[in-house]
Amino acid sequence: MRAEVPKGIAFPPTSQAGGLPPLKGSNCEARRLRVDVPAAPGGYDVVCGRGVLTALPVLLEEIGAAGRVLLLSDATVAPLQGRRVVTLLGAAGRDALLWAMPAGEAHKTLETVSAAYSWLAGQRVERGETIVALGGGVVGDLAGFVAATYLRGLRLVQVPTTLVAQVDSALGGKVGVDLPAGKNLVGAFHQPALVLADVELLATLPEREWRAGLAEVIKHGVIRDRGLLDLLERRRADIVARDPGVVAGMVAQAAAVKVAVVVEDPLERGLRRILNYGHTLGHAIERAAGYGVVLHGEAVAWGMAAAARIAAQLGTCDGAFVAWQDALLRAYGLCMPLPVLQADAVLQATRLDKKTAGGHLHWVLPRGPGEVTVTHDVPSVAVDAAVDWLVAEGR
């Protein structure tokens, strides 16, 4: 017997495809998405496409960024792209300085933030100067938090270099760091002045990181864009091969989903919660396995699969959706075998999740392709069953 469908807020599917104007005055292939939210007076642009990194000096002028540029990166990205960006800005008459943190989620901490503060203080950074976050989600989150808090706020430009960051984490102004108790427990809302997503930067992304990023693309399709899901199914071979033209369109379309949600709910008071689909159990998997053992996108894919099973138990979606989503995730190399997990560790990690109200977790559950619901009314027996399934997949 099916349980009653949990009460929640249903958000209908919409398509965000197409209609994005090109970047004027540039010979690179680019599209602009406009983000207008109360937290960012005047709004800001998300510029994505092929070769758009070369437009960075012009775009900095557009947003009125005077003074020095402080590039915050990590030990992986800095050798690949850091010097290139410093040279690019220098050729345009910009004084740019580069600082690199150690790479990896394990270093997204207050200790690293303190090290960044010390470097900025040593450079005598002033409030009119600009921080550019050059890297993946960890760099974007940490550099954004530094920008939000140093001198009570510095201008932030996000230049994401991973697929996860280009379609998700670099957009929307959520910045922060981890504590031993859990992910992103210390943070702020600090909207960037510009997001510049060059898909050519994805060429050096390791295959595993690429696949992990596709989990967030699939997530955006499942929560709000059937057109994106259609693209993922029709052009799978091209996307897997990283065809730059197809990938540029995919990134723009996936980013448009995030932008549309952020514009409507910049401070995560309602609609924006749908972006957490797969993240409640995904974050718990990351913590239970040990940060870095399971990549964020890999954990989100498993979290989506588990959330669909919870939804099927409650009658929110049917078994056909569960099977369809499983097939799509696996077609992109996701939901590969998990490491051994302990059910108690996963459940304990969910209790530390910051997405709670009145002590109850917010769950994002699918209704079907392109439509989800948000609820806190999920019986513990349904969660236990989903976690048992995850643990079994890790054996």
Side-chain angles (χ1 to χ4, degrees):
M1 181 176 178
R2 285 183 171 178
E4 182 181 354
V5 175
K7 296 177 181 178
I9 306 169
F11 300 106
T14 60
S15 178
Q16 302 295 329
L20 306 177
L23 175 63
K24 294 179 181 179
S26 173
N27 59 5
C28 53
E29 299 177 32
R31 297 177 181 180
R32 285 189 193 239
L33 305 170
R34 188 65 181 168
V35 183
D36 289 302
V37 297
Y44 61 91
D45 282 348
V46 178
V47 179
C48 51
R50 300 170 62 182
V52 295
L53 183 63
T54 59
L56 179 58
V58 173
L59 291 168
L60 287 173
E61 288 185 16
E62 279 191 14
I63 65 174
R68 293 178 300 175
V69 174
L70 296 312
L71 283 166
L72 271 59
S73 190
D74 68 19
T76 298
V77 176
L80 293 171
Q81 304 296 344
R83 290 299 169 192
R84 174 189 174 192
V85 177
V86 168
T87 300
L88 174 69
L89 292 171
R94 288 273 183 175
D95 186 6
L97 302 172
L98 175 65
W99 179 82
M101 62 176 280
E105 184 81 30
H107 299 285
K108 200 175 88 172
T109 64
L110 290 171
E111 289 76 15
T112 307
V113 169
S114 180
Y117 289 157
S118 296
W119 179 73
L120 293 173
Q123 302 303 323
R124 298 182 182 272
V125 170
E126 300 177 356
R127 292 187 75 179
E129 295 175 321
T130 301
I131 285 182
V132 172
L134 177 68
V138 169
V139 169
D141 283 357
L142 187 135
F145 183 72
V146 169
T149 52
Y150 192 74
L151 297 179
R152 295 189 175 90
L154 296 172
R155 181 187 292 108
L156 171 67
V157 170
Q158 292 275 7
V159 181
T161 61
T162 65
L163 184 56
V164 168
Q166 289 191 1
V167 303
D168 189 66
S169 63
L171 309 169
K174 286 172 69 174
V175 298
V177 295
D178 304 336
L179 294 179
K183 285 193 66 170
N184 301 320
L185 293 180
V186 176
F189 286 96
H190 187 64
Q191 298 291 342
L194 168 72
V195 179
L196 187 61
D198 190 338
V199 299
E200 290 184 355
L201 297 176
L202 304 178
T204 57
L205 202 61
E207 182 63 24
R208 188 182 173 194
E209 292 276 0
W210 168 254
R211 292 197 308 267
L214 288 168
E216 295 284 2
V217 177
I218 294 168
K219 180 204 77 177
H220 284 180
V222 171
I223 65 173
R224 217 172 192 227
D225 192 344
R226 291 178 182 172
L228 179 56
L229 294 174
D230 179 62
L231 175 69
L232 288 165
E233 292 186 312
R234 285 187 298 104
R235 306 300 298 270
R236 183 175 69 86
D238 294 325
I239 292 169
V240 169
R242 306 194 206 187
D243 178 278
V246 177
V247 169
M250 179 191 74
V251 167
Q253 193 165 342
V257 173
K258 177 74 177 273
V259 166
V261 172
V262 167
V263 167
E264 193 166 338
D265 182 17
L267 298 180
E268 197 172 12
R269 290 172 177 161
L271 173 66
R272 188 163 173 167
R273 292 171 184 158
I274 69 175
L275 295 167
N276 292 320
Y277 180 51
H279 283 62
T280 298
L281 283 172
H283 282 169
I285 290 167
E286 285 185 86
R287 178 175 173 79
Y291 290 127
V293 175
V294 180
L295 299 182
H296 175 70
E298 294 169 340
V300 167
W302 279 109
M304 291 167 62
R309 282 161 172 79
I310 291 173
Q313 288 185 68
L314 302 181
T316 305
C317 72
D318 57 24
F321 173 85
V322 176
W324 168 82
Q325 182 181 255
D326 282 355
L328 183 59
L329 291 168
R330 292 197 167 104
Y332 280 99
L334 296 159
C335 290
M336 295 296 102
L338 281 167
V340 174
L341 298 172
Q342 299 299 320
D344 288 347
V346 176
L347 289 169
Q348 178 62 25
T350 64
R351 298 184 188 108
L352 295 170
D353 196 288
K354 67 183 187 300
K355 297 179 289 294
T356 59
H360 297 285
L361 274 172
H362 294 300
W363 289 92
V364 185
L365 302 178
R367 291 184 179 275
E371 186 176 4
V372 294
T373 185
V374 178
T375 182
H376 63 264
D377 188 18
V378 174
S380 59
V381 64
V383 178
D384 291 346
V387 171
D388 288 342
W389 172 76
L390 287 170
V391 171
E393 290 293 319
R395 290 177 179 167

